[in-house]
């Protein structure tokens, strides 16, 4: 009889909690907070996605050890999309419909992020992308993306930083080479848009595949054009192949690349050919070279110490994008609770947030919140990243 009454009492308590919109696990400000994540931790974009995955896992552990977010333990549900767009879409569907997460961060590369967005916008769930394409938050068709934010500098910002550098150096006749995917196409569109404003002209324009293993045929045409500089717009793996081929063909023009190569992996893959390469990047690569007056320096060095202690190697710009996304989301949840609309509103009202990628000032019209001041020019010298300004 006592067992029967105990079971009845337990059932009654469960029903009362459900009526209040709670489960026994989530009552009293406790319980779990599900955050979804999708990274390209393997495949071609792994040099970008692996440190992103590791950064977020590290942060979840740190925050949970300090009590989670508003007393709720963070449950990270993270998937590896294997650098594949279809996998990213399937993982997004799973996070929304099956895992029922509060928000999503990730989307390592632009193509995957763009493919994820339709489901996210339809579901009305806060999403912070880690990819660069301006189209992620500001598509050319003018469509509204109220739920989508991102932490990587947009390629429109990066291109203007790059063009300003070219103009300063007097390298106005250039060869433009981009990877044939969403990241490369978006970069090319912004180059075409802004180059005339800086007096820069492309004397050669070429595309290469993300799977390229030999670009010499394309580069033979580039060599004949005799550019003052060669711009390579891609990510670490494919750009390393093209960079090596440029030097193997005896093209001596300076090489200026995108922020997509900012990993030690690029140097390892390109070898000696990496030396002398210039590129715009966030400050994490050269944190210890920054003046003490830089508002990001303390935050950057703390992240570097934590990451190196956890994983035994230096963090990257890409891991920094994940650091920013997690903290922006955590701060928004602290302010808005688990209500998705309140989280979205809190993100839009982010001001003066000192992150790894820059100091963020978001608004209803700007879901990235960064400008060209968030970038510095870096050069690879003797296999190391050196602040060039």
């Amino acid at each position: 009889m006592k067992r029967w009454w105990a079971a009845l009492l337990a059932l009654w308590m469960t029903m009362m909690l459900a009526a209040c919109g709670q489960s026994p696990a989530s009552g009293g400000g406790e319980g779990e907070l599900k955050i979804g994540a999708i990274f390209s931790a393997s495949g071609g974009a792994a040099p970008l996605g692996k440190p992103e995955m590791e950064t977020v896992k590290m942060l979840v552990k740190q925050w949970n050890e300090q009590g989670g977010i508003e007393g709720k333990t963070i449950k990270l549900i993270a998937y590896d999309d294997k650098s594949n767009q279809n996998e990213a879409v399937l993982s997004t569907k799973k996070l929304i419909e099956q895992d029922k997460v509060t928000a999503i961060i990730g989307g390592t590369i632009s193509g995957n992020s763009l493919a994820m967005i339709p489901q996210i916008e339809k579901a009305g769930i806060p999403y912070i992308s880690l990819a660069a394409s301006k189209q992620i938050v500001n598509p050319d068709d003018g469509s509204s993306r109220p739920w989508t934010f991102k932490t990587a500098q947009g390629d429109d910002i990066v291109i203007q930083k790059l063009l300003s550098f070219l103009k300063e150096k007097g390298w106005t006749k250039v060869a433009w080479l981009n990877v044939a995917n969403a990241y490369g196409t978006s970069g090319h569109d912004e180059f075409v848009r802004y180059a005339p404003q800086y007096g820069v002209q492309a004397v050669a324009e070429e595309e290469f595949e993300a799977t390229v293993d030999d670009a010499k045929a394309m580069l033979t045409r580039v060599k004949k054009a005799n550019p003052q500089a060669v711009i390579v717009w891609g990510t670490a793996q494919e750009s390393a192949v093209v960079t090596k081929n440029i030097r193997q063909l005896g093209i001596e023009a300076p090489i200026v690349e995108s922020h997509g190569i900012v990993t030690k992996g690029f140097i390892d893959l390109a070898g000696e050919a990496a030396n002398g390469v210039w590129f715009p990047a966030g400050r994490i690569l050269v944190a210890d070279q920054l003046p003490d007056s830089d508002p990001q320096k303390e935050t950057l060095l703390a992240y570097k110490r934590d990451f190196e202690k956890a994983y035994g190697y230096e963090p990257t710009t890409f891991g920094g994008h994940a650091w920013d996304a997690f903290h922006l989301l955590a701060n928004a949840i602290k302010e808005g609770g688990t209500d998705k609309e309140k989280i979205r509103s809190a993100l839009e009202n982010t001001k003066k947030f000192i992150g790894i990628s820059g100091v963020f000032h978001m608004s209803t019209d700007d879901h990235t919140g960064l400008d060209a001041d968030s970038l510095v020019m870096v050069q690879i010298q003797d296999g190391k990243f050196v602040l060039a300004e």
Side-chain angles (χ1 to χ4, degrees):
M1 180 68 70
K2 290 182 178 179
R3 291 180 182 175
W4 185 86
W5 274 107
L8 183 61
L9 181 60
L11 178 61
W12 179 81
M13 289 179 66
T14 301
M15 291 173 65
M16 289 297 293
L17 287 165
C20 295
Q22 297 179 333
S23 66
S26 63
E30 297 177 353
E32 285 185 343
L33 172 63
K34 292 182 180 179
I35 294 178
I38 300 172
F39 307 108
S40 299
S42 63
L48 289 65
K50 182 173 179 286
E52 293 173 350
M53 175 82 83
E54 291 177 338
T55 293
V56 172
K57 287 182 176 180
M58 177 188 76
L59 293 173
V60 168
K61 182 174 183 291
Q62 288 177 352
W63 278 63
N64 280 338
E65 288 173 350
Q66 297 168 14
I69 301 177
E70 298 296 288
K72 293 184 181 292
T73 299
I74 304 164
K75 181 178 181 181
L76 177 67
I77 304 174
Y79 295 115
D80 174 12
D81 65 24
K82 306 177 181 63
S83 305
N84 181 279
Q85 230 175 81
N86 290 332
E87 287 285 341
V89 170
L90 290 172
S91 296
T92 303
K93 182 179 177 67
K94 190 174 181 182
L95 286 174
I96 295 170
E97 297 181 2
Q98 181 176 315
D99 301 318
K100 299 188 183 303
V101 297
T102 297
I104 298 173
I105 62 177
T108 297
I109 51 180
S110 296
N112 290 16
S113 282
L114 289 165
M116 292 162 60
I117 288 171
Q119 290 186 79
I120 287 166
E121 288 292 333
K122 183 178 180 181
I125 185 168
Y127 169 50
I128 307 179
S129 168
L130 312 181
S133 175
K134 183 189 74 172
Q135 303 294 325
I136 292 167
V137 293
N138 190 20
D140 285 339
D141 64 8
S143 59
S144 176
R145 291 184 175 169
W147 297 96
T148 301
F149 300 79
K150 73 183 184 74
T151 56
Q153 293 91 348
D155 35 26
D156 54 336
I157 293 171
V158 182
I159 282 291
Q160 291 181 73
K161 183 74 174 181
L162 183 148
L163 288 167
S164 177
F165 173 75
L166 292 173
K167 181 179 179 179
E168 179 185 318
K169 290 290 187 180
W171 302 335
T172 56
K173 305 294 184 182
V174 303
W176 170 274
L177 320 174
N178 67 266
V179 63
N181 60 21
Y183 177 69
T185 300
S186 183
H188 180 255
D189 289 346
E190 298 305 318
F191 174 79
V192 171
R193 186 194 311 269
Y194 289 108
Q197 297 179 25
Y198 292 83
V200 175
Q201 178 185 354
V203 295
E205 295 183 67
E206 300 282 351
E207 277 193 340
F208 53 90
E209 296 298 325
T211 55
V212 63
D213 57 11
D214 189 331
K216 293 189 187 72
M218 171 189 77
L219 291 170
T220 298
R221 297 191 293 272
V222 170
K223 187 175 183 179
K224 290 179 181 178
N226 194 31
Q228 292 175 301
V230 179
I231 302 170
V232 181
W233 193 273
T235 54
Q237 190 160 310
E238 68 272 13
S239 294
V241 173
V242 176
T243 302
K244 288 175 72 173
N245 288 169
I246 288 171
R247 294 312 186 210
Q248 287 167 351
L249 281 179
I251 299 174
E252 297 181 357
I255 302 173
V256 184
E257 309 217 10
S258 82
H259 54 322
I261 67 162
V262 290
T263 69
K264 185 64 165 59
F266 171 79
I267 296 175
D268 294 338
L269 291 167
E272 288 294 321
N275 285 320
V277 167
W278 306 81
F279 58 92
R283 288 167 166 77
I284 185 66
L285 289 182
V286 291
D288 57 346
Q289 301 171 43
L290 297 171
D292 291 342
S293 59
D294 191 293
Q296 289 179 254
K297 186 171 184 177
E298 184 178 345
T299 300
L300 293 167
L301 293 177
Y303 170 48
K304 280 173 67 72
R305 286 193 300 268
D306 290 347
F307 191 91
E308 287 170 12
K309 182 179 178 181
Y311 299 109
Y313 71 98
E314 291 187 356
T316 67
T317 294
F318 305 104
H321 296 329
W323 190 99
D324 293 335
F326 179 86
H327 282 91
L328 285 165
L329 178 60
N331 289 341
I333 292 172
K334 286 175 70 175
E335 182 173 331
T338 56
D339 181 272
K340 294 179 175 60
E341 181 59 46
K342 288 182 179 178
I343 293 171
R344 188 195 65 75
S345 178
L347 286 169
E348 281 189 342
N349 285 284
T350 297
K351 305 296 180 193
K352 299 181 181 179
F353 173 73
I354 298 175
I356 305 302
S357 305
V359 180
F360 289 81
H361 299 271
M362 290 187 180
S363 68
T364 54
D365 298 321
D366 185 355
H367 279 199
T368 302
L370 297 172
D371 59 24
D373 288 340
S374 65
L375 297 161
V376 293
M377 290 303 299
V378 176
Q379 187 178 37
I380 300 172
Q381 297 177 10
D382 298 322
K384 296 179 180 179
F385 299 118
V386 177
L387 180 64
E389 59 179 30

